[in-house]
Amino acid sequence: MTSVGSLATKPLFGLPLAELWFALLFFIFGMFLFLDGFDFGVGVLFATRDDDHEKEQLLAAVGPFWDGNEVWLVVFGGALFAAFPSVYANLFSRYYLLMFAILAALGLRGLAPEMYEERENDRWRTLWGYSFVIGSTVTPFLLGLFVMNWLLGATSLITPVGVLGGLTVLTLTIVDGAAFLGLKTRGALRGEMRTYGIRAAVGYLGGAIITLGAIYVTEPGLRSSFRSPTVVALIILTATLTGIYVVALRKRRYYAAFAATVALVFGFVGLVATLLFPVVDRTAGLTIRDAIISTLPLNLMSIMASVLLPIVLIYFIVLYSAFSGPVDTEGTYG
């Protein structure tokens, strides 16, 4: 049994807390990419709509959720700072311009739908409609760029593999958004979202293959990781899930398509984490064990996380249950 005195010297219950926090960190990032991912996807698909009622439906579909979904990004930053403070400091100092760009794009994405609803003026709504699309497009692209830079340990902000990763994450969010709208819309709008979702899924699979190929060619240090059974399994799983997603949409099995999307997002995040492991900052040469905080704060933080994380998850279950079902043609929940 773990005593109070041993908290300062031994890991809680003898658990490999450094590895568990690394896994938790990427789980939190996966939650953000999945939940806010469909917000981004809906924002990109907003550009395909000319009809005002359809635009209202798309805004209403994400309206109750998007600001809550961003909580996971805050939790991700907080967990990285708390568990791996040196990595947090290195990443934020190395890519601070990229971070500011992501925050600016997120701010534009968040502000645009609020301002869009403020006036019944065509020019006003056109301006904030474009802002919504731009913010929703740029944010996932920059997030993908950041993730690839982190994975490769890039010292410059823009790299060819980073750009490929950004485009891949962008298409993944469109896949996510189309699946979400399959649950939230009906009629012709739902049919068109189904078509966009199938096209985006094909684009995502192609982008993922090209990005992985580029990593293999340009990063000799990572080639051995591609022979890992976990990496091979995740690549095969991604191809299989993409096929399931396409078939599910063709057969109008929207819940199955949405479930495939969840697995696709976490498959992507799991692939990045597996390629990175056991290193957590390639540029600085830091492994997980090098970068983790000392035993006492790690134990206390683990206890707090075991209490708070279930509460956050319950909150999201209640939120999504309260606004379940499709939006009506007036853009409201029944």
Side-chain angles (χ1 to χ4, degrees):
M1 179 177 290
T2 301
S3 65
V4 174
S6 68
L7 289 176
T9 57
K10 297 178 181 178
L12 195 66
F13 302 120
L15 293 169
L17 292 181
E19 287 77 6
L20 287 175
W21 271 94
F22 180 77
L24 180 61
L25 189 67
F26 279 91
F27 167 77
I28 293 169
F29 183 72
M31 287 296 292
F32 167 69
L33 188 59
F34 163 60
L35 292 175
D36 222 18
F38 62 67
D39 297 334
F40 297 138
V42 170
V44 175
L45 292 168
F46 188 87
T48 67
R49 303 295 91 196
D50 292 323
D51 183 82
D52 287 340
H53 288 300
E54 291 183 345
K55 289 181 178 178
E56 295 284 351
Q57 284 181 268
L58 265 58
L59 289 174
V62 297
F65 309 118
W66 68 264
D67 51 350
N69 292 339
E70 288 183 356
V71 166
W72 289 99
L73 182 61
V74 177
V75 175
F76 170 76
L80 180 63
F81 172 75
F84 304 101
S86 58
V87 178
Y88 177 92
N90 290 341
L91 291 177
F92 276 70
S93 61
R94 193 182 306 139
Y95 307 126
Y96 70 95
L97 289 177
L98 189 53
M99 298 296 185
F100 280 125
I102 290 172
L103 291 176
L106 272 173
L108 185 63
R109 192 288 303 269
L111 182 64
E114 302 290 343
M115 300 301 289
Y116 183 92
E117 301 284 359
E118 289 297 316
R119 290 187 186 178
E120 296 283 348
N121 178 283
D122 289 342
R123 292 181 64 182
W124 176 268
R125 291 201 160 192
T126 299
L127 170 66
W128 289 108
Y130 279 126
S131 300
F132 185 46
V133 174
I134 292 170
S136 300
T137 304
V138 172
T139 305
F141 172 77
L142 293 179
L143 282 170
L145 183 63
F146 166 73
V147 169
M148 285 300 124
N149 284 347
W150 182 9
L151 170 62
L152 303 180
T155 52
S156 56
L157 291 181
I158 299 176
T159 61
V161 175
V163 171
L164 287 172
L167 293 173
T168 300
V169 171
L170 174 59
T171 55
L172 180 59
T173 60
I174 300 173
V175 171
D176 198 358
F180 180 71
L181 289 175
L183 300 178
K184 291 294 179 183
T185 59
R186 294 290 184 266
L189 178 58
R190 184 191 232 184
E192 290 189 46
M193 293 302 111
R194 186 171 65 243
T195 301
Y196 286 118
I198 291 171
R199 291 174 182 171
V202 174
Y204 171 66
L205 182 60
I209 292 171
I210 293 171
T211 303
L212 288 171
I215 293 173
Y216 187 85
V217 170
T218 60
E219 300 294 329
L222 285 174
R223 286 176 188 168
S224 60
S225 300
F226 280 82
R227 292 191 287 273
S228 158
T230 305
V231 171
V232 173
L234 286 170
I235 293 173
I236 294 172
L237 182 67
T238 296
T240 304
L241 287 167
T242 305
I244 292 172
Y245 176 90
V246 171
V247 171
L249 281 188
R250 285 186 182 278
K251 292 182 176 294
R252 294 172 171 75
R253 304 292 178 85
Y254 295 101
Y255 281 101
F258 194 64
T261 305
V262 179
L264 271 177
V265 171
F266 279 95
F268 171 82
V269 174
L271 191 53
V272 171
T274 305
L275 288 172
L276 191 61
F277 185 84
V279 177
V280 70
D281 186 349
R282 198 172 300 282
T283 307
L286 290 175
T287 65
I288 296 168
R289 293 297 178 99
D290 296 329
I292 196 70
I293 56 171
S294 58
T295 304
L296 179 59
L298 182 62
N299 283 334
L300 295 176
M301 200 168 63
S302 300
I303 293 170
M304 287 190 290
S306 65
V307 174
L308 294 177
L309 195 59
I311 295 174
V312 174
L313 291 171
I314 290 170
Y315 164 78
F316 275 84
I317 291 171
V318 172
L319 173 66
Y320 278 84
S321 298
F323 293 97
S324 61
V327 293
D328 61 27
T329 55
E330 298 301 321
T332 59
Y333 280 86

